[in-house]
Amino acid sequence: MSPDLTVHVALLILTLSIFFLLLKLLSKRALTNIHYKTNRATLQSGRHLAQASHHLAQARSTPHRAQSQAHAKTSLSEAEKALSLAPRDPSAHVLRAMALDLVDRKAAALRSLHVALSPPCVKSLAARERADALIKRAELKIEVNRRRRVDSAVQDLVEAVRIGGDEPRALGLLGQCYEWKGMRDEAKEAYEKSLRVGPGSIVARQGLDRLGP
């Protein structure tokens, strides 16, 4: 190999080495920026969710309607800010639904829960969170249109009891659904289970009184 050719080969190898080194550095920097932006968005979303939860609790606890509505609207705003940063976060969709329910936007709340309980969002919900969301969705289905949605509500409640344990609220509502469907024995069984796990359940006690011995 001639000296000139050797120099050209060496320069080519050096150039390629520098190119690949720069490419590696740029890739690392790009990944670092992506991770930084993702982590920052996650932190910001978490702060909005914390505020949404706080205002939702305030809305539920205050006896004054005007104050309750103000807190509910702030909770809704914070939940929507969280969703703008993390659109697939099921907790944000659930909080949004709870706030929408308090401001009497039942149909919108129901749609938000549909998103939270559908793939891929639902995969991120813990069993207890999923059970609570299913119970709330069943309640809203009945409020929006009991006649058309009672069967769907029953499915949600049965699943909620299966994954979340014997929840008095779920069992009481399940008993009501069975009663509306004319399923007397199933209704009594649900009411009795509700009282076993929650002796103070007025819904279950009144249901059993209606059904009689």
Side-chain angles (χ1 to χ4, degrees):
M1 184 181 295
S2 67
D4 288 343
L5 183 57
T6 302
V7 170
H8 284 307
V9 170
L11 287 173
L12 178 60
I13 292 172
L14 179 61
T15 302
L16 288 173
S17 298
I18 294 172
F19 171 77
F20 285 116
L21 178 60
L22 288 172
L23 186 62
K24 187 176 181 180
L25 289 172
L26 288 172
S27 297
K28 284 184 177 180
R29 180 174 293 181
L31 287 172
T32 300
N33 288 336
I34 290 170
H35 289 153
Y36 171 75
K37 289 178 181 178
T38 301
N39 290 336
R40 185 180 179 185
T42 301
L43 288 172
Q44 289 177 333
S45 175
R47 284 194 289 268
H48 288 306
L49 284 180
Q51 286 296 313
S53 296
H54 169 73
H55 285 285
L56 185 65
Q58 291 292 315
R60 287 172 168 171
S61 63
T62 182
H64 303 290
R65 177 168 173 77
Q67 293 179 7
S68 175
Q69 289 291 289
H71 281 297
K73 288 175 182 177
T74 302
S75 177
L76 176 58
S77 175
E78 292 294 330
E80 289 178 339
K81 288 175 184 176
L83 283 171
S84 70
L85 295 164
R88 293 186 177 183
D89 186 342
S91 298
H93 284 288
V94 171
L95 278 170
R96 180 175 182 271
M98 300 298 183
L100 284 166
D101 180 36
L102 288 179
V103 297
D104 205 29
R105 293 171 59 187
K106 309 291 184 184
L110 192 53
R111 287 194 297 271
S112 200
L113 284 173
H114 285 330
V115 175
L117 290 166
S118 299
C121 290
V122 69
K123 294 179 181 180
S124 301
L125 284 175
R128 180 70 264 174
E129 293 174 318
R130 185 181 171 199
D132 288 342
L134 285 165
I135 295 168
K136 186 61 186 177
R137 186 167 73 171
E139 290 176 343
L140 286 170
K141 285 177 179 178
I142 292 166
E143 288 185 58
V144 171
N145 193 326
R146 189 182 85 185
R147 185 181 295 275
R148 288 182 54 193
R149 304 195 183 204
V150 65
D151 289 334
S152 180
V154 167
Q155 292 176 1
D156 281 351
L157 292 166
V158 169
E159 178 67 5
V161 171
R162 187 187 71 80
I163 64 176
D166 289 341
E167 160 70 49
R169 183 164 60 106
L171 288 164
L173 186 55
L174 183 59
Q176 287 182 313
C177 289
Y178 283 142
E179 193 175 347
W180 292 327
K181 287 168 61 64
M183 301 169 66
R184 179 187 175 89
D185 292 341
E186 290 82 354
K188 286 186 70 173
E189 183 180 359
Y191 286 141
E192 287 168 353
K193 285 182 178 179
S194 180
L195 283 175
R196 282 200 293 272
V197 295
S201 174
I202 296 174
V203 170
R205 195 165 297 282
Q206 289 178 342
L208 287 175
D209 289 340
R210 282 193 305 272
L211 293 172

